[in-house]
Every structure is written in structure tokens, then in C-alpha cells.
Amino acid sequence: TEYLDDIVAKYPDYMPTSEYTDLVVNGLVDAVCEAWDNRAEGLVGWGYSYAVVGENRRVRYFDDHALMYGSTAAADFSHIEGHVDHGVYLLFTYDPEQNLTGVLVNVASPSQASESGQDFVSADFWHDVRVELRKRYGEGLFVLPQCSAAGDQSPHRLVNTRAEQRMLALKYGEGRGRPLNDALRLDIAKRIAYAVDDAEPAVRKDL
């Protein structure tokens, strides 16, 4: 109760979990019913491309222990542990005239470029992906993001971090790093959009 009292004091419009659950369930039911009532013929096509989004976040040391987000500057740093999947898995939808209507985008990285420092709900880099793709393919484009198996993945680099930060500052301006990391979000959005641009023309050959 004390925990909730503190939240309500800071956020008078706070919505309790029970109300939020009703909101989500009703919204999902309405969306499914609307989709069913407006269903129409169309085409689908699947594709595959690449974008650097997730990086392995487990750091291994010479004494054989590992840490999540461990220091790579430590004297006993050995290597980054485990696999990284830079695949971008895509499912495109088209109307009967082959106009692109939507895209499902699946990447192996949680959407946590703004990993901490904010006290609000955010779509993180997926918001920026939607904005970027709609610039390229039209404001009506539906974008459905998916996070595939990514337990050890993160959008934060643990090696070459200063080089990346320098480039992000040169591209998007200073002061756009942590906590919100909007420069990183924008960059990830462009990487994913380039992957969509790479795959979509080829996918049209097999709808």
C-alpha cells in the first residue's frame, strides 16, 4: 500500500493493474473484431536480411567467470561470451494490387536502448523504427515488432563503445546519449529500415 501511495502521489493519473488489464483486454478484443470484420484478400511474402541491433552482453574473464555488462577494460578481460544473431526476419503484407500494407519485423534484441533513467512506458527503438519505415513506405504502414530469442542480447555495445558514441554524436548531435539514448534508438531504426529496404524488392518476386 505504501508503495502505491508513493506512486499515486507522484502520478495522480496512475492506473491500477486491474484497470490496465481491462483496458488491454478490451483493446485486443476490439482490434481482433475490427480486423475480422474488415478482412480482405491480399498477399504475403517473407524475407531475411541483416542489421546490427543486439550484442551479447555477457563478458568472460580469464579466471572463467562471466558477468552481464562486465567491464571490458579490466586487465583479466578475455572475450564477449556467446552468440550474436544479426538476422532480421521479415513478413510483408500487400493488398491485391501489391501495395505494401504492413511488415512484421523480428530481431534478436530487447527494445531497451533507453534501458534506465526514465519513469515512463516506452516502445523504445521500435517507435523510431515505425517512424522511419513510415517515412519510406507511407504513413499507413502497419509495423508489428517481435523480439526473438535474445536472453543474452542487448542493444548496448561493450567493445568499441567510445567509437560508437563518437559516431552517434557526429550523426545526431551531442547530448543525446544516456539515459534516454535517443541517438542510439534513431541509429537502430535506420539499420532496421535499411534491412527492410534490402529485402522488400526481392520479396516481391515470390508473393
Side-chain angles (χ1 to χ4, degrees):
T1 304
E2 293 178 4
Y3 173 73
L4 287 178
D5 289 343
D6 291 340
I7 292 177
V8 172
K10 188 173 182 180
Y11 303 103
D13 295 330
Y14 167 77
M15 179 180 290
T17 303
S18 58
E19 288 183 31
Y20 180 74
T21 300
D22 290 341
L23 177 72
V24 170
V25 170
N26 290 332
L28 289 172
V29 169
D30 290 344
V32 170
C33 291
E34 181 182 347
W36 180 259
D37 291 339
N38 292 286
R39 66 195 183 279
E41 291 184 356
L43 299 155
V44 296
W46 68 273
Y48 177 78
S49 191
Y50 300 91
V52 176
V53 181
E55 302 279 359
N56 197 289
R57 59 185 173 184
R58 283 180 55 85
V59 178
R60 176 130 333 237
Y61 298 92
F62 285 120
D63 66 359
D64 212 31
H65 83 284
L67 290 173
M68 186 171 73
Y69 294 130
S71 171
T72 57
D76 59 343
F77 165 64
S78 173
H79 60 280
I80 301 293
E81 179 184 78
H83 179 65
V84 176
D85 180 3
H86 293 316
V88 179
Y89 304 84
L90 299 158
L91 182 70
F92 297 95
T93 62
Y94 301 83
D95 66 17
E97 287 72 43
Q98 298 191 17
N99 298 305
L100 181 65
T101 57
V103 57
L104 182 153
V105 186
N106 180 295
V107 298
S109 177
S111 51
Q112 55 188 47
S114 300
E115 191 162 9
S116 60
Q118 76 278 356
D119 55 0
F120 51 83
V121 175
S122 167
D124 203 80
F125 64 71
W126 285 117
H127 166 75
D128 305 274
V129 170
R130 286 192 178 101
V131 170
E132 186 65 29
L133 288 176
R134 287 169 180 164
K135 282 181 189 174
R136 301 177 186 215
Y137 294 96
E139 287 299 316
L141 184 73
F142 290 94
V143 181
L144 177 61
Q146 284 187 340
C147 175
S148 63
D152 291 340
Q153 310 300 299
S154 162
H156 301 289
R157 294 188 63 80
L158 296 178
V159 293
N160 298 324
T161 53
R162 280 185 282 184
E164 181 185 59
Q165 289 165 6
R166 172 181 175 271
M167 289 307 301
L168 291 175
L170 289 171
K171 291 185 342 188
Y172 303 105
E174 296 285 352
R176 304 188 72 171
R178 289 179 183 254
L180 296 183
N181 270 333
D182 57 333
L184 177 59
R185 296 202 323 261
L186 289 169
D187 214 61
I188 289 172
K190 289 185 183 298
R191 297 174 206 170
I192 292 175
Y194 291 144
V196 173
D197 290 345
D198 171 63
E200 200 275 335
V203 165
R204 287 180 173 271
K205 299 175 182 177
D206 185 29
L207 300 182

